[in-house]
Amino acid sequence: GKEGVRRAPGGREGRGGLGGAGPAPTPRSAGNYRTQLWDKQSESFLPSTPGLGMHVEVKDPDGKVVLSRQYGSEGRFTFTSHTPGEHQICLHSNSTRMALFAGGKLRVHLDIQVGEHTNNYPEIAAKDKLTELQLRARQLLDQVEQIQKEQNYQRYREERFRMTSESTNQRVLWWSIAQTIILILTGIWQMRHLKSFFEAKKLV
């Protein structure tokens, strides 16, 4: 299969932000893809591959499948995840035409859009009958919301990093204390052992 990893940022995490207390859901994401089949005769990729089936699967950072669907040789898919972080996007062909290019090459063009970039503003304007000024205001509001969500996500990451750092420092401190105790006990044991040895040899 053709596989890629896309990090879905915390900005514009579609279902509302947090005050830094925890992660907000990731934004609505969309992907556009197009496939090209390698032609051995012309030694180049064909402009399109009609009839080829592509299966798209998306997993969130916890490994949960948020999208699993069959598409054509080119298309658009959308998904929304409740977990911020790296999302795995896997595209693979399950078409019976696989035998036609066994041992060949299949090129996949993939474009990922996140947040307000997934909105089709001309379609929104036509549907809601918005003027150009109203549409521009809608876009600005979406951008402000994305910035706010991104800030919330960055605060969450900073908090997680601080907690990890404190936990690591605490473990290092306890390890240092344990090493010191072991060294002191080893030194005491060595001194008692040497004293017993010298006394047995009547050197002291």
Side-chain angles (χ1 to χ4, degrees):
K2 192 74 175 181
E3 186 172 294
V5 174
R6 169 73 179 181
R7 178 180 293 276
R12 185 167 172 72
E13 284 128 342
R15 284 171 274 310
L18 300 178
T26 54
R28 181 173 182 267
S29 303
N32 296 288
Y33 73 91
R34 180 171 59 91
T35 61
Q36 289 183 288
L37 182 63
W38 176 260
D39 185 15
K40 295 182 179 180
Q41 294 182 352
S42 62
E43 295 186 351
S44 62
F45 287 98
L46 298 176
S48 62
T49 53
L52 180 67
M54 295 294 294
H55 185 268
V56 179
E57 184 177 80
V58 181
K59 294 182 180 180
D60 65 10
D62 298 329
K64 180 182 178 181
V65 177
V66 296
L67 175 67
S68 180
R69 186 176 175 184
Q70 176 73 20
Y71 294 90
S73 59
E74 60 180 289
R76 173 184 174 88
F77 59 90
T78 60
F79 66 92
T80 303
S81 176
H82 295 267
T83 307
E86 288 189 353
H87 287 64
Q88 186 181 70
I89 301 175
C90 181
L91 296 90
H92 60 88
S93 172
N94 61 351
S95 172
T96 56
R97 295 187 63 229
M98 179 66 73
L100 296 179
F101 57 90
K105 303 176 183 178
L106 181 66
R107 174 183 290 173
V108 178
H109 302 268
L110 179 62
D111 178 34
I112 302 295
Q113 298 173 329
V114 180
E116 88 281 0
H117 299 292
T118 62
N119 295 331
N120 189 338
Y121 286 106
E123 181 180 340
I124 293 175
K127 181 179 179 181
D128 298 340
K129 297 180 180 181
L130 301 178
T131 64
E132 183 177 353
L133 180 60
Q134 290 174 327
L135 181 61
R136 183 57 181 168
R138 173 76 173 270
Q139 292 175 325
L140 290 175
L141 288 175
D142 288 342
Q143 292 175 1
V144 170
E145 184 182 358
Q146 179 183 8
I147 293 173
Q148 181 182 4
K149 302 305 180 183
E150 181 66 26
Q151 290 176 340
N152 290 337
Y153 180 66
Q154 293 300 330
R155 282 196 294 268
Y156 164 71
R157 291 186 60 185
E158 182 180 356
E159 182 180 353
R160 289 289 301 272
F161 178 76
R162 178 179 57 81
M163 293 174 61
T164 303
S165 298
E166 291 178 354
S167 176
T168 302
N169 292 336
Q170 187 177 16
R171 292 180 181 180
V172 171
L173 175 62
W174 283 110
W175 174 245
S176 300
I177 293 175
Q179 283 184 316
T180 302
I181 294 175
I182 292 174
L183 289 175
I184 293 174
L185 293 177
T186 303
I188 294 174
W189 178 82
Q190 288 180 337
M191 291 178 61
R192 292 176 62 88
H193 179 73
L194 289 175
K195 182 179 180 182
S196 300
F197 174 78
F198 289 142
E199 288 179 347
K201 296 295 183 178
K202 299 182 180 181
L203 297 177
V204 293

